[in-house]
Amino acid sequence: QVQLVESGGGSVQAGGSLRLSCAASLYGYSDYCMGWFRQPPGKEREGVAFINSNRATNYADSVKGRFTISQDNAKDTLYLQMNSLKPEDTAMYYCAAVVVARWLTGTCLHWGRDKYNYWGQGTQVTVSS
């Protein structure tokens, strides 16, 4: 069973930075994808950044060059470094994971929320102008 717990959200002014963390219990799983999703008020949940067990990454166009996803070597913490934040980045941010067969570790970087079956409870990020 994979458990995910996010932290690090908060309020910041436009142009500022935040780092989100996700404590993840992935011991025993060698092939997986993890991602950060966000859900703005009144909108659908969207993918933001993804990383697989080979440390390959994928980003939504809206955050490329501003956000960086990473995972520590012990595979127990996922991070999202968010720089140059904009008011439109305001949302509830969720950490998610999916365990896959090895041959899918490249493909899962491009999966949508429906394929992810482990979710954290979310952490709020608010960016003011």
Side-chain angles (χ1 to χ4, degrees), residues 107-121:
T107 303
C108 64
L109 287 170
H110 305 278
W111 284 356
R113 64 182 188 271
D114 292 344
K115 294 287 184 68
Y116 282 76
N117 51 355
Y118 298 106
W119 292 88
Q121 81 287 351

Side-chain angles (χ1 to χ4, degrees), residues 8-87:
S11 298
V12 65
Q13 289 193 323
S17 298
L18 282 174
R19 188 175 81 158
L20 306 183
S21 299
C22 173
S25 58
L26 283 168
Y27 305 116
Y29 296 110
S30 59
D31 303 299
Y32 56 84
C33 274
M34 296 191 73
W36 287 98
F37 291 77
R38 67 185 181 187
Q39 188 164 14
K43 297 185 178 181
E44 291 189 352
R45 194 171 300 187
E46 61 182 7
V48 173
F50 304 89
I51 190 167
N52 68 12
S53 42
N54 299 319
R55 300 294 193 269
T57 59
N58 182 39
Y59 295 91
D61 288 343
S62 58
V63 305
K64 279 181 182 176
R66 300 189 298 123
F67 291 11
T68 302
I69 189 171
S70 62
Q71 188 177 27
D72 70 348
N73 290 335
K75 297 193 303 183
D76 59 4
T77 307
L78 181 73
Y79 300 100
L80 184 68
Q81 178 66 44
M82 304 185 294
N83 298 328
S84 302
L85 282 162
K86 304 175 181 180

